[in-house]
Amino acid sequence: MDAVRTCVGCRASASRTSLLRVVASHGAVVADQSATLPGRGAWLHPTISCFESAVKRRAFARALKVDPPLDTGTLLSVLAEYEAGHQPMSPNEQAD
């Protein structure tokens, strides 16, 4: 049985494999596609609508227990790639 997490955007429960883990790093919310980055994480459906809902509710700062404001531009570009049907590359793959 797969672990169940709650999306910070829509607040729906879903399996861990269908959600994207995000973490706060240097004042920004970044996607943790491998779910191995250190620190407190939050889970989000990889859709623009869940992202917008989380931003509107200020859920990222609350779930990650950091002080706002957080830059969400990088995460938005990753989610746009998901919705376009492309699996975005992890930062480790981009460095090669």
Side-chain angles (χ1 to χ4, degrees):
M1 188 162 137
D2 200 21
V4 176
R5 302 288 187 259
T6 301
C7 173
V8 295
C10 66
R11 304 295 300 155
S13 296
S15 69
R16 180 178 166 173
T17 57
S18 65
L19 297 171
L20 175 66
R21 183 174 186 259
V22 297
V23 296
S25 177
H26 304 291
V29 179
V30 296
D32 180 9
Q33 297 162 1
S34 62
T36 59
L37 289 177
R40 185 173 185 86
W43 297 85
L44 179 75
H45 283 110
T47 63
I48 301 294
S49 61
C50 282
F51 168 81
E52 289 172 346
S53 179
V55 169
K56 182 178 177 182
R57 295 181 332 102
R58 293 181 230 144
F60 290 121
R62 191 170 44 254
L64 298 172
K65 296 192 185 225
V66 295
D67 293 325
L70 288 170
D71 180 24
T72 56
T74 304
L75 179 59
L76 182 59
S77 63
V78 169
L79 293 175
E81 288 184 37
Y82 266 102
E83 290 207 340
H86 303 6
Q87 179 70 17
M89 293 190 323
S90 69
N92 295 338
E93 292 172 348
Q94 291 174 355
D96 293 339

